[in-house]
């Protein structure tokens, strides 16, 4: 969101561009969830190089974080027995 505010036009919104901070925030939270779940509907697309980099990092680190977190929980549970 900070990137879109500092560099307007970093993302392409297929339907209509959000107006105001609350709309930008809700649209980019939606984009974040669709990126994390690897659904990637394509209605919001990163255009700027930095936006593309952040999206790639989120697509890799997000699921990896969940996997490591769950593995840690299982490890703690099995080591306590």
């Amino acid at each position: 969101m900070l990137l879109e505010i500092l560099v307007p036009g970093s993302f392409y919104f297929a339907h209509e561009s959000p107006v105001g901070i609350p709309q930008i925030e809700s649209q980019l939270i939606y984009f974040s969830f669709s990126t994390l779940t690897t659904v990637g509907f394509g209605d919001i697309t990163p255009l700027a190089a930095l936006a593309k980099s952040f999206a790639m990092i989120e697509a890799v680190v997000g699921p990896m974080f969940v996997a490591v977190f769950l593995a840690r929980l299982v490890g703690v549970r099995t080591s306590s027995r």
Side-chain angles (χ1 to χ4, degrees):
M1 187 174 114
L2 182 61
L3 180 63
E4 180 64 23
I5 291 171
L6 293 176
V7 184
S10 294
F11 293 89
Y12 169 73
F13 300 90
H15 300 292
E16 63 181 51
S17 295
V19 178
I21 301 291
Q23 284 187 352
I24 293 171
E25 183 178 29
S26 67
Q27 288 293 313
L28 291 177
I29 287 173
Y30 161 77
F31 172 72
S32 181
F33 276 108
S34 66
T35 300
L36 283 172
T37 59
T38 66
V39 173
F41 292 118
D43 50 349
I44 300 174
T45 308
L47 295 177
L50 192 56
K52 290 178 183 180
S53 298
F54 284 155
M56 287 189 307
I57 290 169
E58 184 175 12
V60 172
V61 173
M64 194 166 54
F65 172 78
V66 172
V68 169
F69 179 72
L70 288 175
R72 178 76 176 135
L73 286 177
V74 170
V76 167
R77 177 76 175 155
T78 57
S79 68
S80 67
R81 289 182 177 199

